[in-house]
Amino acid sequence: MKLLRSDQRGFVFHLGKREKHLLLETLQLYPLIPASRHRITRNGDSPADDERPRLLEEALAEHRRENRRQLQAMLNEKHRFQETEAGFQLNLSAPQMEWLLQVLNDIRVGSWLALGEPEQGDEPEPSKTNAQCLLALEVCGLFESALLAALGVHESPRWR
Amino acid sequence: MAETVVLPDLEREEQTGSKSDLEPGWLVICWNDPVNLMTYVTHVFQVVFGWNRQKAEFHMLQVHRQGKSLLARTTMEKAEHYVHQLQKYTLHATMERES
């Protein structure tokens, strides 16, 4: 996935045929994070009463339903991916970039949770039961990195 | 070579609203996990708080190296708003009462 150009209207990416297939298959996994994962406080010290965590959970659930609706619309939209000689062009507006980052990261974090929350570099060996999660973890990371690079966010050597 | 780090101000946000909404203060905290990309966390901090790259990187590195970072000290309503926004991006964020 490569950025071809960006302007005020948005971003245009090139994807190979297999990349497009991999992206669409991975997006079908959304959502993966269980609702119970989201907690507003760490120690159960509710800000006011028991109502607030429930309201947050409901708001996030609605947000995920809306993401799912947008995802289905995108997958069904014939002109979202324009076929070229070398593959496909994907057009995304700035809000769609943010939305796609959220969806990809939900799948990435959800896969990590399903793998037992391993530390970096301590992921389990691939097997028939965890192959999909391991693949989704890596694929989402790659697509996220491509989107973030297009937004100008690059990893710095100073971070390590 | 030693790394020069400019500490950002963790300013108190302008307070409006009734007194009961403002007291006590609430802290918004982001916790480390080994799955979110460092670039992703930096970007989310910029989007949610409107910070520049330097300040967003500072807090991302604090999360990464120290396990957590205090992102905002604010009213309960704003703290809830920030936690909600951060959780939309699936970051591990919580709020707690300032002691």
Side-chain angles (χ1 to χ4, degrees):
Chain A
M1 186 177 183
K2 285 182 185 171
L3 178 68
L4 295 177
R5 60 184 178 275
S6 65
D7 55 30
Q8 289 182 333
R9 287 173 298 174
F11 300 79
V12 181
F13 293 93
H14 163 79
L15 285 91
K17 288 179 182 173
R18 274 181 293 191
E19 274 183 314
K20 179 202 170 199
H21 182 73
L22 200 52
L23 175 63
L24 296 185
E25 286 297 312
T26 305
L27 291 176
Q28 294 283 5
L29 299 173
Y30 181 83
L32 273 189
I33 297 183
S36 57
R37 167 81 177 165
H38 300 292
R39 295 168 62 187
I40 197 164
T41 60
R42 193 169 173 88
N43 54 8
D45 177 23
S46 184
D49 48 45
D50 290 335
E51 193 73 347
R52 292 183 182 278
R54 187 180 63 77
L55 290 174
L56 175 75
E57 201 168 293
E58 281 179 8
L60 286 170
E62 177 54 33
H63 178 68
R64 285 150 63 107
R65 279 193 291 275
E66 179 56 31
N67 275 350
R68 183 72 200 168
R69 277 193 290 272
Q70 282 193 47
L71 181 59
Q72 280 307 321
M74 178 180 142
L75 297 178
N76 294 329
E77 194 180 335
K78 288 180 181 172
H79 301 294
R80 171 66 58 192
F81 293 91
Q82 293 180 334
E83 192 157 13
T84 64
E85 279 186 15
F88 293 89
Q89 281 190 8
L90 170 62
N91 298 282
L92 294 170
S93 66
Q96 286 169 335
M97 292 278 280
E98 293 302 319
W99 164 80
L100 190 53
L101 277 169
Q102 289 180 11
V103 168
L104 286 167
N105 208 55
D106 180 287
I107 299 167
R108 181 170 161 83
V109 174
S111 301
W112 173 74
L113 291 171
L115 289 167
E117 306 182 29
E119 289 296 319
Q120 203 166 24
D122 201 23
E123 292 84 4
E125 289 297 315
S127 68
K128 280 183 182 174
T129 53
N130 68 17
Q132 187 185 50
C133 288
L134 284 169
L135 186 62
L137 186 73
E138 296 302 323
V139 167
C140 289
L142 290 172
F143 283 121
E144 282 180 42
S145 293
L147 295 176
L148 289 163
L151 290 165
V153 191
H154 302 274
E155 191 161 322
S156 165
R158 293 186 297 109
W159 293 358
R160 297 293 174 186
Chain B
M1 181 182 284
E3 199 174 293
T4 304
V5 176
V6 179
L7 296 177
D9 295 329
L10 191 67
E11 70 276 8
R12 277 177 196 273
E13 298 197 356
E14 187 181 344
Q15 296 187 334
T16 56
S18 69
K19 191 176 179 185
S20 60
D21 289 338
L22 307 178
E23 293 178 353
W26 288 84
L27 309 176
V28 177
I29 297 168
C30 187
W31 302 86
N32 188 39
D33 60 48
V35 66
N36 285 303
L37 301 172
M38 296 166 92
T39 45
Y40 181 78
V41 177
T42 303
H43 173 71
V44 173
F45 286 171
Q46 285 188 268
V47 171
V48 171
F49 294 100
W51 291 342
N52 61 29
R53 178 69 50 83
Q54 186 185 29
K55 184 169 179 178
E57 279 186 14
F58 171 82
H59 284 281
M60 178 277 293
L61 288 173
Q62 207 169 43
V63 172
H64 180 66
R65 292 171 179 163
Q66 298 175 28
K68 66 176 182 177
S69 179
L70 173 57
L71 304 181
R73 178 185 288 116
T74 186
T75 62
M76 185 175 72
E77 285 193 355
K78 279 194 173 178
E80 282 180 337
H81 169 75
Y82 286 138
V83 168
H84 186 195
Q85 294 303 310
L86 292 165
Q87 292 195 353
K88 274 185 181 177
Y89 280 91
T90 55
L91 295 193
H92 187 184
T94 59
M95 58 191 281
E96 59 186 58
R97 199 185 297 267
E98 186 173 19
S99 55

